[in-house]
Amino acid sequence: MNHDDRLIVALDFPTMEQAKALVLELGDSVSHYKVGMELYYAAGSEMIRFLKGHNKQVFLDLKLQDIPNTVAGALAVLTGLGADMMNVHAVGGKKMMQAAVKAVHEAAEKLGRPAPKLIAVTILTSMDDEQFGDLNYKNTIAEQVIALAKLAQEAGMDGVVASPQEAAAIRKACGPEFLIVTPGVRPAGTSIDDQSRIATPTGAFKNGSSHIVVGRPITKAEDKIAAAQSIAAEIRGV
């Protein structure tokens, strides 16, 4: 097996043509992709259908945050696209997350399909201590991440998006079944780009991550297949 479902490759492209080209190039070496705001706003549901048509798992990363009714309505519609995982911002609050969970499960039941996993963004991995200080929270980043993870679990969410540096503490606080999806993963020797709180793939899983999101170390690599296979092989050894 060349791929590992726990590796999610970020399709951070402005056009569907670029994203499709990468998916076709990577072939069987990647089974799970993230579609974020940039690509979704460009290609919409057509990109999701393309990925599902190629038997790929899809993490639809739109980070919804609004009043509970608005988020619930949006997620009910998005559930129909067939993504395997979707997310909201945990800072939207417990009521918003509860409404999100209810809407997704009701929509999936009507469609006769399993509900997609629903996870909550804690603190963005691009944020460092200085930027976090500007928000005037009383907690440290780590403390706030754990508080938001616990809140998400209480609301019925399946997991969170968090830095690999907080994964161990989340795993301890929320238990073995809670999903911890970690961006900010960089293989040793690669550029950290615009991330701040990072770890290697091995470090992320040792810390308790259930999935890792990797973008530029694969999508900008000279040999993209080799880069993806190298990370997949590394995490299978953890």
Side-chain angles (χ1 to χ4, degrees), residues 71-128:
V71 169
L75 285 170
V77 172
L78 291 171
T79 297
L81 300 182
D84 302 277
M85 186 185 296
M86 300 189 291
N87 63 0
V88 301
H89 266 294
V91 293
K94 189 174 182 179
K95 286 186 178 180
M96 187 202 77
M97 289 189 282
Q98 288 173 327
V101 172
K102 184 173 184 288
V104 165
H105 282 265
E106 288 180 350
E109 186 176 357
K110 287 179 182 177
L111 293 166
R113 64 175 62 159
K117 299 297 184 183
L118 198 56
I119 60 178
V121 178
T122 54
I123 302 298
L124 298 174
T125 52
S126 60
M127 190 164 289
D128 57 21

Side-chain angles (χ1 to χ4, degrees), residues 1-2 36 42-43 61 68-69 71-73 84 92 103 107 121 128 130 142 147 152 195 198 208 211 220:
M1 182 177 67
N2 292 326
D61 177 31
N69 187 63
V71 169
D84 302 277
V121 178
D128 57 21
E130 182 179 355
Q195 301 287 359
I198 66 170
H211 299 75
K220 300 297 185 183

Side-chain angles (χ1 to χ4, degrees), residues 4-235:
D4 191 301
D5 291 342
R6 296 172 297 170
L7 169 62
I8 304 174
V9 173
L11 293 174
D12 294 331
F13 295 105
T15 70
M16 183 169 174
E17 288 70 27
Q18 290 171 286
K20 285 173 64 175
L22 179 74
V23 172
L24 295 174
E25 180 178 351
L26 289 172
D28 293 336
S29 63
V30 173
S31 59
H32 205 161
Y33 286 95
K34 178 180 80 74
V35 175
M37 286 182 275
E38 180 182 22
L39 180 57
Y40 187 77
Y41 293 154
S45 59
E46 188 178 352
M47 189 68 221
I48 310 301
R49 285 195 293 269
F50 170 81
L51 289 168
K52 298 308 293 182
H54 285 75
N55 298 314
K56 304 300 183 183
Q57 295 182 60
V58 179
F59 168 26
L60 184 56
D61 177 31
L62 299 182
K63 301 182 180 72
L64 300 184
Q65 182 184 345
D66 210 309
I67 63 172
N69 187 63
T70 299
V71 169
L75 285 170
V77 172
L78 291 171
T79 297
L81 300 182
D84 302 277
M85 186 185 296
M86 300 189 291
N87 63 0
V88 301
H89 266 294
V91 293
K94 189 174 182 179
K95 286 186 178 180
M96 187 202 77
M97 289 189 282
Q98 288 173 327
V101 172
K102 184 173 184 288
V104 165
H105 282 265
E106 288 180 350
E109 186 176 357
K110 287 179 182 177
L111 293 166
R113 64 175 62 159
K117 299 297 184 183
L118 198 56
I119 60 178
V121 178
T122 54
I123 302 298
L124 298 174
T125 52
S126 60
M127 190 164 289
D128 57 21
D129 289 327
E130 182 179 355
Q131 295 175 71
F132 188 73
D134 292 338
L135 300 178
N136 203 32
Y137 283 108
K138 64 179 181 180
N139 292 333
T140 64
I141 289 178
E143 290 168 342
Q144 189 67 16
V145 167
I146 301 308
L148 291 171
K150 289 180 177 179
L151 187 67
Q153 188 173 47
E154 290 170 11
M157 304 287 286
D158 296 297
V160 290
V161 181
S163 155
Q165 293 185 7
E166 288 93 44
I170 296 170
R171 181 63 65 215
K172 182 178 180 181
C174 298
E177 302 302 319
F178 200 61
L179 298 179
I180 305 173
V181 179
T182 53
V185 174
R186 292 290 185 271
T190 60
S191 171
I192 68 170
D193 300 306
D194 54 0
Q195 301 287 359
S196 293
R197 303 185 337 274
I198 66 170
T200 64
T202 297
F205 281 102
K206 285 183 176 179
N207 284 349
S209 298
S210 60
H211 299 75
I212 59 173
V213 179
V214 180
R216 284 162 287 194
I218 292 174
T219 63
K220 300 297 185 183
E222 186 172 341
D223 188 334
K224 297 174 179 57
I225 293 175
Q229 290 180 340
S230 176
I231 293 174
E234 180 180 338
I235 65 179

